[in-house]
Amino acid sequence: MNDISSIHIDFMRVVRKKFLDLMKDTEKAVVQMEEDKLFWAPNNHSNSVEVIIKHLSGNLVSRWTDFLTTDGEKTTRNRDKEFESTIETREELMEIWSEGCQVFLSALDTIKSEHLLQTIYIRNEPHTVMEAVIRSLSHTSSHVGQVIYIAKQTTTEEKWTTLSIPKKQS
């Protein structure tokens, strides 16, 4: 096996694992929240869990649909609408989340060794496929952190089950 094939296998394995962890943490946080809290935002400058997840899904769908041949900012995407509250239920929200995640995971399955350093475009800016993957993982990670923070703030301590190692149990 040549070096690029080995790097490809390791890179894809790590990315998939990290992304699946982010998916799981998001789902674990959302399931603990009272449904009305999914739509709560502390002020007009902040986003609700609903809006964050809708935005993440829209971003993933746009970036990873036909990513090798089209710009990652699709003309069909209405980014501004992602920041409007339009979802009514937890189930609908989780379907939208699942859709975006599945587009990303499916795209990962199509990436071959020779694609890693191929140039693709996001908003007319060149990125290697590796850079674009890392960019998406980073973007997703920061927003999942927001979701978890809101979930912890809006769920009582008695009802919250930690997503990692509990305090004083290291």
Side-chain angles (χ1 to χ4, degrees):
M1 185 177 307
N2 65 31
D3 287 342
I4 193 74
S5 292
S6 178
I7 290 168
H8 170 255
I9 291 168
D10 287 344
F11 181 69
M12 292 291 112
R13 180 185 51 77
V14 169
V15 168
R16 178 174 292 280
K17 166 121 180 39
K18 294 299 179 190
F19 190 80
L20 290 171
D21 288 347
L22 291 169
M23 280 180 65
K24 189 181 341 171
D25 285 348
T26 301
E27 292 159 8
K28 284 181 181 178
V30 167
V31 78
Q32 293 187 66
M33 297 176 71
E34 292 182 25
E35 190 156 349
D36 65 317
K37 299 299 185 191
L38 295 169
F39 308 97
W40 172 86
N43 57 51
N44 290 332
H45 301 292
S46 300
N47 295 313
S48 66
V49 166
E50 173 226 0
V51 165
I52 294 167
I53 288 175
K54 190 166 66 164
H55 163 64
L56 269 174
S57 182
N59 180 275
L60 290 167
V61 169
S62 182
R63 296 291 183 261
W64 296 102
T65 300
D66 302 323
F67 70 99
L68 290 173
T69 57
T70 63
D71 191 283
E73 188 66 18
K74 304 295 184 278
T75 57
T76 55
R77 182 181 186 197
N78 185 345
R79 187 179 181 279
D80 290 338
K81 192 157 181 78
E82 294 168 11
F83 294 93
E84 296 173 9
S85 184
T86 58
I87 297 172
E88 296 183 14
T89 67
R90 180 190 321 268
E91 291 75 24
E92 183 183 359
L93 180 62
M94 296 318 292
E95 285 174 20
I96 288 167
W97 173 237
S98 179
E99 176 190 355
C101 291
Q102 290 312 310
V103 167
F104 181 69
L105 291 168
S106 294
L108 289 181
D109 290 339
T110 68
I111 298 172
K112 297 180 170 77
S113 299
E114 60 268 20
H115 295 142
L116 292 180
L117 299 177
Q118 179 178 331
T119 299
I120 63 172
Y121 292 86
I122 300 171
R123 296 180 166 220
N124 294 315
E125 293 178 27
H127 297 73
T128 66
V129 169
M130 283 181 75
E131 289 171 326
V133 168
I134 291 167
R135 177 180 168 152
S136 275
L137 200 57
S138 176
H139 181 247
T140 301
S141 181
S142 67
H143 284 311
V144 168
Q146 292 173 326
V147 167
I148 293 167
Y149 184 77
I150 294 169
K152 288 171 90 172
Q153 298 306 306
T154 60
T155 305
T156 63
E157 199 172 327
E158 300 78 38
K159 290 185 177 183
W160 181 257
T161 302
T162 188
L163 306 181
S164 61
I165 301 167
K167 287 182 182 180
K168 300 182 182 178
Q169 294 185 25
S170 293

